[in-house]
Amino acid sequence: MEEVKSKGKLQGFTRAILDAANKRADAVHAEADEQEHSTIERYRAEAHLRSEQRRSMAMAETRAREDKRIMTETLAARRSLLTLREDCAKSVLDDVRVKLETYPAQAGYAGTLDTLLLRGLAAVPGAKSVRVLLRGEDMSHAEHLRKAASGVDMSFGEGKFTLGGLMIEFPLQHRRADLTFDTAMEDLSGRFADITGFGMEGSDGN
């Protein structure tokens, strides 16, 4: 009878140990499951973050390449347009120069000189004495120019310009009226330079 009790105590002790072991095993298993779940979630989060970072980097690189492409094409278009404008301006200026060079030989040139003379005199009202500069080949127009402004004492000299027109000097007023074709051509060329030229900002990508 005493032996049975001892066996009963041993079995109870064994069960207690096994129960404790099972509980510990369950706890360890649960902890392992939690750690596994936590590790998987952390890995998923890190993988997602890396994926988003790669995607953001890829998008940034794509945007940078696209911006560079657009800038390159824009600058190329600007250069092409500038070349076209310069070619057009040169063509127009060349045409004007040819017309000015041939105009002095035409019948209307004498009347044009009269008109230019009166315009220049009107710029300095009351002038009674002037010196008119002409091209050497235009000195033959002096007589009709005197008649065009008979109330003004007029002397003539040879000017250092080649296309035509005239220049009026007002000695008493210390002024001068430049009505030469050469200066008109320079002014026209300057205006075309302003029209055709434009900045190339951003050519370095900034």
Side-chain angles (χ1 to χ4, degrees), residues 131-149:
R131 184 167 184 261
V132 179
L133 302 180
L134 298 169
R135 299 187 308 162
E137 53 265 55
D138 290 341
M139 295 302 290
S140 59
H141 293 284
E143 191 58 35
H144 73 77
L145 287 171
R146 277 197 177 94
K147 292 179 181 179

Side-chain angles (χ1 to χ4, degrees), residues 116-117 120-121 130-131 166-170 175-177 179:
L116 292 175
L117 174 66
L121 293 174
V130 299
R131 184 167 184 261
L166 53 81
M167 186 178 295
I168 307 173
E169 294 179 343
F170 300 85
R175 295 183 64 183
R176 182 173 66 181
L179 300 163

Side-chain angles (χ1 to χ4, degrees), residues 68-175:
K68 185 176 181 179
R69 182 188 66 80
I70 292 173
M71 178 61 70
T72 300
E73 292 181 358
T74 299
L75 291 176
R78 285 183 174 180
R79 292 188 181 99
S80 178
L81 180 58
L82 178 58
T83 299
L84 177 62
R85 287 177 172 178
E86 289 176 340
D87 290 344
C88 290
K90 184 178 184 303
S91 177
V92 171
L93 291 172
D94 288 346
D95 184 57
V96 170
R97 177 173 287 277
V98 170
K99 290 180 178 178
L100 289 177
E101 288 173 345
T102 58
Y103 183 59
Q106 299 179 20
Y109 182 58
T112 298
L113 289 178
D114 288 345
T115 300
L116 292 175
L117 174 66
L118 294 176
R119 184 186 303 169
L121 293 174
V124 185
K128 298 300 182 181
S129 177
V130 299
R131 184 167 184 261
V132 179
L133 302 180
L134 298 169
R135 299 187 308 162
E137 53 265 55
D138 290 341
M139 295 302 290
S140 59
H141 293 284
E143 191 58 35
H144 73 77
L145 287 171
R146 277 197 177 94
K147 292 179 181 179
S150 57
V152 179
D153 181 26
M154 202 176 302
S155 63
F156 291 88
E158 186 173 341
K160 297 180 180 180
F161 47 92
T162 60
L163 292 178
L166 53 81
M167 186 178 295
I168 307 173
E169 294 179 343
F170 300 85
L172 297 178
Q173 290 81 9
H174 304 287
R175 295 183 64 183

Side-chain angles (χ1 to χ4, degrees), residues 97 163 178 181-192:
R97 177 173 287 277
L163 292 178
D178 188 340
F181 292 174
D182 301 63
T183 298
M185 189 69 194
E186 290 175 3
D187 291 344
L188 181 62
S189 178
R191 285 197 295 272
F192 267 102

